[in-house]
Amino acid sequence: MTEQVLVAKGISKSFALENREIAVLKDIFLEVRQGEFVAIMGKSGSGKSTLLSILAGLDQPSSGKVVLNGDDLTTMSEEDLALKRQSDIGFVFQSFHLIPTLTVRENIEFPLNIARQQNDERVNELISAVELSHRENSFPHQLSGGEKQRTALARALVSKPQILFADEPTGNLDGKNAEQVLSLLLDLQQASNTALVVVTHDPGLAKRADRTITIVDGQLL
Ligand SMILES: Nc1ncnc2c1ncn2[C@@H]1O[C@H](COP(=O)(O)OP(=O)(O)OP(=O)(O)O)[C@@H](O)[C@H]1O
Ligand SMILES: [Mg+2]
């Protein structure tokens, strides 16, 4: 049996809205194994992005715990959590989130710089894997959507995370670019045996996952 990378137990999340509490996630349980590809589907507003942010340690649940490689993200200090995110977690956003003043190469190197590491071999390997060798000195505003997302994908993988989260990674791309980003994402994930959790509206993508979970009104179906 393969090892579990992530175990989330009893995840609930409420937001205060005016003078009411809105329960967005209700008692969610989820396990992800090493190298596994899990797709998360569900209607707009069902809580997919909220769940992904909590699983990745970008947001805290109102109750429950998220255990990544044996460490509970919900009880760690901010400092330890930041280190854990750097070393074990990759995240790809729908809207790319590149740093506008850095080139493609510098964006991809950025997580290594933050961790005071250097690994030119790894950076070169990823730049070539995402087919951006001819664009490595370009800035984000000079790139197409597909090129931006390929840069973001390389950046998310540069530290060899145990798990990669992607929130509608192809949501801002047209059909051809979406397909290219997707196949690179899956090739890189399989080559490195990284666990992958993707939020998607695309049934074609969900079909390629090992497992699909659906959220309805904050609960797993
Ligand atoms: N910071 C917040 N404060 C209050 N309500 C919030 C906050 N963040 C999210 N919500 C609410 O939580 C619900 C779930 O939001 P979430 O972004 O997780 O949905 P989603 O499934 O990702 O939707 P979409 O498919 O449109 O991206 C929504 O009703 C949203 O308005
Ligand atoms: Mg969302």
Side-chain angles (χ1 to χ4, degrees):
M1 214 164 71
T2 357
E3 210 188 316
Q4 282 153 1
V5 179
L6 181 88
V7 182
K9 279 186 190 159
I11 300 298
S12 298
K13 179 76 176 176
S14 303
F15 291 108
L17 201 65
E18 280 140 34
N19 38 25
R20 292 189 303 140
E21 282 273 300
I22 310 244
V24 172
L25 299 175
K26 300 162 198 161
D27 198 26
I28 294 210
F29 178 90
L30 177 65
E31 290 178 338
V32 183
R33 291 176 192 286
Q34 192 182 347
E36 190 179 23
F37 170 15
V38 177
I40 300 180
M41 297 194 80
K43 285 199 308 207
S44 178
S46 59
K48 304 180 299 296
S49 296
T50 305
L51 176 62
L52 211 65
S53 298
I54 290 171
L55 297 178
L58 297 170
D59 194 4
Q60 291 289 351
S62 306
S63 60
K65 57 182 186 174
V66 179
V67 181
L68 185 67
N69 279 334
D71 292 320
D72 185 352
L73 304 185
T74 64
T75 55
M76 289 173 109
S77 68
E78 256 314 309
E79 206 175 5
D80 287 345
L81 183 56
L83 289 173
K84 186 87 175 158
R85 280 200 305 258
Q86 272 168 32
S87 61
D88 291 6
I89 300 171
F91 206 106
V92 176
F93 300 89
Q94 178 173 356
S95 48
F96 322 126
H97 289 209
L98 297 176
I99 299 169
T101 53
L102 300 183
T103 64
V104 165
R105 170 174 287 271
E106 290 163 348
N107 265 283
I108 295 171
E109 278 171 343
F110 188 72
L112 296 176
N113 291 340
I114 293 282
R116 296 173 195 278
Q117 290 169 10
Q118 196 182 354
N119 189 343
D120 292 341
E121 205 181 320
R122 175 76 180 151
V123 173
N124 291 337
E125 172 191 298
L126 278 167
I127 288 176
S128 126
V130 298
E131 298 165 25
L132 284 174
S133 302
H134 60 305
R135 283 280 177 272
E136 64 169 285
N137 296 315
S138 298
F139 290 91
H141 76 272
Q142 300 170 314
L143 303 175
S144 72
E147 289 166 345
K148 284 182 201 168
Q149 197 59 308
R150 276 144 52 207
T151 304
L153 179 56
R155 178 183 58 183
L157 289 169
V158 74
S159 307
K160 301 196 174 173
Q162 294 270 324
I163 188 161
L164 176 64
F165 296 97
D167 194 351
E168 302 190 46
T170 59
N172 276 335
L173 305 177
D174 63 32
K176 189 159 159 276
N177 278 308
E179 184 47 47
Q180 188 191 13
V181 164
L182 212 56
S183 56
L184 283 170
L185 171 67
L186 298 183
D187 286 353
L188 288 167
Q189 180 244 339
Q190 275 159 21
S192 55
N193 202 30
T194 309
L196 173 65
V197 183
V198 180
V199 167
T200 183
H201 283 111
D202 176 3
L205 172 55
K207 234 183 231 164
R208 289 151 83 170
D210 298 313
R211 190 152 57 91
T212 299
I213 61 173
T214 305
I215 305 191
V216 179
D217 292 334
Q219 289 180 298
L220 291 192
L221 201 65

